[in-house]
Amino acid sequence: MNQPWKLYSSLIGSFALALACVYALPGAAQNYPAKPVRIIIPFAPGGSNDILGRMIGTRLSELSGQQFIMDNRGGAGGTIGMDLATRASPDGYTLVIGHIGTLAVNPTLYPKLSYDPVKDLQPVSMFAKVANMLAVHPSLPARSVREFIDLAKAKPGALSYGSGGTGGGGHLAMEYFKLLANIDCVHVPYKGTAPAIVDLLAGQTQVVFAGIPPVAVHVRAGRLRALGVSTNRRLAIFPE
């Protein structure tokens, strides 16, 4: 566990992952946890939420002696999993991993959102800040951010990018980048970052602006080409 913690603790940047729970009943914390705890991850397996959530769950299990069970419920920008969490019994035995999309963006994006992150959830802790990485399929001729911008301007609307869902960190990061660079790329939303990366690896899309944890392994293996990160300074683990 030590090496992944050292790696991910250095990924400071664009979106925060937070642990929240349904309001606990009075007295529930005296012998907590007295039974297995469910951690809902409102996205498909393989994304930043999932990777870091499972690390947290594993460590909590070791410390408490109780099982912390991961429950991936992806779809609709994380609203399906968040809705499930807020409908759970308010006994503190259902936790949910939230981030900027599910906790801050969705209330403004969905006019009839089924949950209120302020009223329906009790925050527990923010446990990670994760930088986003701009990465492309190796077949794309761009080898720098400048070259990518030039390519996108030469072919407006021809390049597509995947994200973990509408309103998520990756979607917002890419849309903001498009705005700053004055380029046009087509958004293809998925039920999680991992499915988006699968299609990128297959060449179905050309670019992704996603949290580093699920992207890094493919960059290291040469299956994707990293062009930049969302932090103000270079990251020690990706100085290039």
Side-chain angles (χ1 to χ4, degrees):
M1 290 291 293
N2 291 335
Q3 199 61 33
W5 279 112
K6 290 180 180 178
L7 171 64
Y8 296 135
S9 65
S10 64
L11 305 183
I12 307 302
S14 58
F15 73 91
L17 296 180
L19 195 65
C21 73
V22 181
Y23 284 100
L25 295 174
Q30 292 179 0
N31 298 306
Y32 182 88
K35 62 180 181 179
V37 179
R38 177 171 62 161
I39 300 181
I40 295 176
I41 301 174
F43 294 98
S48 296
N49 294 58
D50 183 64
I51 293 172
L52 296 175
R54 289 179 184 277
M55 292 172 64
I56 288 288
T58 298
R59 185 59 176 156
L60 289 175
S61 294
E62 293 173 352
L63 292 173
S64 69
Q66 282 288 351
Q67 284 187 305
F68 281 73
I69 303 169
M70 301 299 116
D71 186 0
N72 293 85
R73 299 296 182 103
T79 62
I80 293 176
M82 296 300 290
D83 177 68
L84 179 65
T86 57
R87 292 177 184 273
S89 177
D91 57 6
Y93 284 89
T94 297
L95 305 178
V96 63
I97 305 292
H99 70 357
I100 185 174
T102 55
L103 298 176
V105 177
N106 285 353
T108 64
L109 188 64
Y110 297 91
K112 296 182 179 180
L113 194 65
S114 61
Y115 68 93
D116 185 325
V118 176
K119 295 180 180 179
D120 297 335
L121 296 169
Q122 174 66 49
V124 175
S125 174
M126 185 177 74
F127 62 85
K129 290 183 179 179
V130 183
N132 282 323
M133 174 177 281
L134 181 66
V136 299
H137 190 273
S139 64
L140 214 65
R143 293 187 173 275
S144 68
V145 174
R146 181 72 262 172
E147 289 182 3
F148 175 79
I149 293 174
D150 291 341
L151 180 64
K153 286 186 174 181
K155 299 179 179 181
L159 302 180
S160 61
Y161 76 94
S163 80
T166 302
H171 179 208
L172 296 180
M174 189 62 184
E175 287 300 316
Y176 186 51
F177 175 69
K178 286 168 54 180
L179 181 66
L180 294 177
N182 192 27
I183 58 175
D184 180 23
C185 299
V186 178
H187 178 218
V188 182
Y190 292 82
K191 290 185 177 181
T193 301
I197 293 176
V198 169
D199 267 11
L200 176 62
L201 292 170
Q204 299 299 318
T205 57
Q206 290 76 49
V207 60
V208 70
F209 211 154
I212 290 181
V215 180
V217 62
H218 301 295
V219 171
R220 295 293 193 203
R223 293 186 289 266
L224 294 177
R225 181 185 304 127
L227 302 183
V229 291
S230 63
T231 52
N232 291 328
R233 299 178 180 179
R234 294 182 183 273
L235 294 176
I237 59 172
F238 282 101
E240 70 278 19

